[in-house]
């Protein structure tokens, strides 16, 4: 049982301690659903997505969204609290953000906070894997009404400042081919793994763009995230597949981005496997400006891909704001200062008060 | 039921039609055991090794040996007979050789052939995988007496000529390392797959030795046979492992060969995973010379690793002789001319008569 009367840092620890690597969110979704159903909110479950909402007839609605899944754990679960810092998988990306969302639900549900807006909470699955599996994307396709609002706040880690827009991401499979033969007579075959040398060489030498978009700075990246090849220990391999992830600034469309990747690997077979567009900063909308004013600080560019882009596609202004250093996301040493989690809750409550 | 009264090509087809990829030889071993037990021979089963022998008090003993396993099938089972050529996985490496051995057992068992020597048949498993699993190697360690003899003939594919000695083989894992990070902020990590570029570049540029040993020519090879790396689709990978297979001429000891590989990859982490020594040609022994004379033709170097090396270590003169083009081994288009299978049986019978 998840106890939402504890502070946001304690709730974060409870969430981290329930392993929820992408595809394995059911148990955590159960706990979140169970906790929300204790409150006077309308709660729904769709697969491993948990939705909650108030319907108090306010003029405006704010959507709070966060994903329940994490990257594979790296000997960093359960969480550890050391000198005011909480360590563990998901402490930054993004169980601390989810904890802040759930704390707001608790405050609203118990009457401690009376917001001037209606609220929607969306806790979803499979954000850390290929876009096709993303729980929020599924909901956007099948029930866009459930996501409607005047502003969406994604509680992805931003170090407690507002981050505008997001970069796009695409993945391609780059294939090299060869001819199988017995490795004792290798000159009769052609080695597809050796043929991958120039592909990796080009990746190692690649210089990523740094781009200004609407006043914010975006830094790109082109990286191999997987490589696989081999038939048997004594066979010259006839195929090698390199999965390459391109993170591109929001001045490039997915089509432009793919054309660039094809250009880089012009002499290899390139197959698109996964793509999600970026989003320009979009901080010009009145509600977004109000949020920035309430939270304070100067907004900066969001470098990771986030579901800001999905809300953007639905025409809903959306921004990123959450506790945790985004540079620590997906690292074994992921951690978050307790004070930052509490401060994020305070800032969100200030906006809603 | 395996019918050994059919000709050697028909027996080959029957053997090919029973899939026996390394580790999965049980069913084929059962069939071979069952067929040999119909004959007046002493038959034993040790795991998936089938042994048979005559004990007629002859002065000399000849061992006939062949492996039952194949590399993974490549849409080439069951066998197909087209215009006098038998196609399929194992037609050359080495179910045609095993068929010739079994045909000799049938001729001896039924009295059609009365050899002047005693004979031992050894059909074994796991030749196509790492040396530690090799069935003949296991037998050499646990029951060397069962392999004793004055000459061993390995029926590996040699195109029907005598091939002397064999090359050594070793495998190493070459590891590159990096630092994990979110792929949206890749500059905070270090990509271990990109770090593999110079390793693959060196393999692609490597010039293998061509060496004369005891008058026969050996051609070496250094090849990646597997590559693996990657954590998740949005994580900069912190490890990449390349499995490299070195096939070395018998003038190099395993220690010399490993030193050479470490020298090639002097700036990477190199771990030995598998090693089997080569064997010098060894055609000087009287029985071997007699065999060469009976079969005819000029002997040549064996380029693949074979269990000749294992018999060599036990002090038993051994040579390679069998139907099938060794250059077709492990290729999807593997095939053998029927006439070559029949000729190999005839040549072996000539030596034994």
């Amino acid at each position: 049982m998840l106890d939402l009367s504890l502070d946001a840092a304690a709730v974060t620890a409870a969430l981290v301690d329930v392993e929820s690597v992408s595809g394995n969110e059911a148990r955590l979704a159960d706990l979140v659903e169970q906790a929300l159903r204790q409150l006077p909110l309308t709660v729904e479950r769709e697969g491993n997505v948990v939705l909650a909402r108030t319907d108090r007839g306010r003029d405006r609605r704010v959507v709070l969204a966060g994903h329940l899944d994490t990257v594979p754990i790296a000997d960093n679960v359960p969480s550890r609290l050391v000198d005011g810092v909480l360590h563990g998988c998901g402490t930054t990306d993004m169980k601390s953000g989810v904890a802040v969302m759930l704390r707001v639900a608790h405050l609203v549900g118990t009457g401690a906070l009376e917001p001037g807006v209606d609220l929607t909470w969306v806790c979803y699955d499979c954000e850390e894997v290929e876009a096709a599996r993303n729980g929020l994307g599924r909901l956007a396709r099948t029930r866009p009404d459930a996501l409607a609002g005047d502003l969406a706040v994604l509680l992805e880690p931003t170090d407690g400042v507002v981050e505008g827009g997001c970069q796009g991401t695409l993945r391609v499979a780059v294939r090299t081919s060869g001819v199988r033969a017995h490795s004792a007579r290798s000159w009769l075959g052609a080695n597809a793994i050796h043929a991958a040398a120039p592909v990796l060489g080009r990746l190692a030498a690649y210089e990523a763009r740094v781009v200004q978009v609407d006043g914010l700075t975006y830094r790109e990246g082109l990286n191999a995230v997987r490589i696989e090849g081999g038939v048997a220990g004594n066979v010259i391999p006839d195929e090698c597949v390199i999965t390459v992830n391109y993170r591109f600034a929001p001045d490039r469309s997915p089509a432009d981005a793919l054309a660039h990747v094809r250009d880089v690997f012009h002499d290899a077979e390139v197959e698109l496997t996964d793509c999600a567009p970026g989003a320009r900063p979009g901080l010009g909308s009145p509600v977004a400006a109000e949020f920035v004013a309430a939270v304070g600080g100067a907004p900066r560019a969001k470098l990771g891909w986030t579901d800001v882009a999905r809300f953007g596609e639905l025409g809903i202004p959306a921004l990123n704001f959450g506790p945790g250093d985004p540079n620590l996301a997906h690292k074994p040493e992921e951690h978050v200062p307790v004070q930052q989690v509490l401060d994020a809750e305070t800032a969100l409550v200030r906006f809603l008060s």
Side-chain angles (χ1 to χ4, degrees), chain A:
Chain A
M1 182 71 192
L2 200 57
D3 182 356
L4 300 183
S5 73
L6 299 174
D7 71 34
V11 174
T12 303
L15 295 174
V16 169
D17 293 350
V18 181
E19 179 265 299
S20 60
V21 174
S22 308
N24 197 28
E25 300 91 341
R27 196 155 71 94
L28 186 58
D30 288 349
L31 285 171
V32 168
E33 179 187 1
Q34 194 180 24
L36 290 173
R37 285 199 189 277
Q38 311 301 311
L39 301 167
L41 306 170
T42 307
V43 177
E44 288 181 89
R45 175 79 174 255
E46 293 256 359
N48 283 332
V49 175
V50 183
L51 287 158
R53 57 190 289 138
T54 61
D55 286 291
R56 299 178 177 178
R58 308 288 193 238
D59 291 341
R60 298 193 308 184
R61 176 174 294 278
V62 171
V63 182
L64 303 177
H67 62 83
L68 296 173
D69 60 319
T70 69
V71 293
I73 60 175
D75 202 19
N76 53 359
V77 165
S79 61
R80 290 174 303 113
L81 180 65
V82 182
D83 296 335
V85 176
L86 188 66
H87 298 257
C89 186
T91 46
T92 58
D93 185 13
M94 58 170 286
K95 291 182 173 177
S96 52
V98 172
V100 169
M101 290 169 57
L102 296 176
R103 278 289 298 158
V104 168
H106 176 79
L107 295 174
V108 170
T110 57
L113 175 64
E114 293 277 2
V117 297
D118 268 312
L119 285 165
T120 302
W121 289 263
V122 189
C123 298
Y124 57 100
D125 59 330
C126 288
E127 195 270 350
E128 298 290 9
V129 286
E130 61 272 26
R133 293 170 63 190
N134 185 297
L136 190 67
R138 193 170 67 238
L139 216 63
R141 286 189 301 276
T142 58
R143 296 204 34 211
D145 57 298
L147 301 179
D150 301 281
L151 174 68
V153 177
L154 276 179
L155 285 103
E156 287 276 0
T158 65
D159 248 340
V161 305
V162 175
E163 290 191 339
C166 77
Q167 304 211 112
T169 177
L170 67 77
R171 287 182 192 84
V172 292
V174 180
R175 274 192 183 76
T176 58
S177 57
V179 178
R180 283 194 199 186
H182 194 301
S183 65
R185 289 170 294 276
S186 50
W187 52 92
L188 299 172
N191 195 313
I193 295 177
H194 297 190
V199 173
L200 297 192
R202 235 166 285 159
L203 282 165
Y206 183 82
E207 292 196 19
R209 290 196 312 156
V210 177
V211 196
Q212 299 287 323
V213 183
D214 299 350
L216 301 183
T217 304
Y218 293 87
R219 184 170 172 180
E220 300 193 333
L222 185 72
N223 274 277
V225 289
R226 181 164 297 284
I227 188 165
E228 283 181 295
V231 177
N234 54 1
V235 178
I236 300 303
D238 57 354
E239 186 177 74
C240 182
V241 181
I242 303 140
T243 305
V244 174
N245 183 207
Y246 179 37
R247 300 288 180 147
F248 53 97
D251 65 329
R252 277 194 169 157
S253 69
D256 291 344
L258 179 58
H260 173 66
V261 171
R262 286 195 193 281
D263 191 49
V264 172
F265 303 112
H266 55 88
D267 48 4
E269 191 193 325
V270 173
E271 183 199 354
L272 181 68
T273 57
D274 178 40
C275 185
R280 298 182 75 99
L283 295 178
S285 88
V287 267
E290 220 168 281
F291 187 93
V292 171
V295 167
R300 63 186 186 194
K302 183 68 190 177
L303 297 178
W305 189 89
T306 76
D307 286 311
V308 157
R310 261 175 236 291
F311 284 104
E313 286 186 282
L314 292 176
I316 303 166
L319 48 79
N320 307 279
F321 167 77
D325 178 354
N327 294 334
L328 290 171
H330 302 197
K331 289 195 164 180
E333 68 270 28
E334 196 177 345
H335 60 262
V336 68
V338 162
Q339 193 57 50
Q340 217 183 52
V341 185
L342 305 179
D343 288 349
E345 178 184 327
T346 304
L348 196 54
V349 167
R350 192 185 311 128
F351 167 64
L352 292 172
S353 297

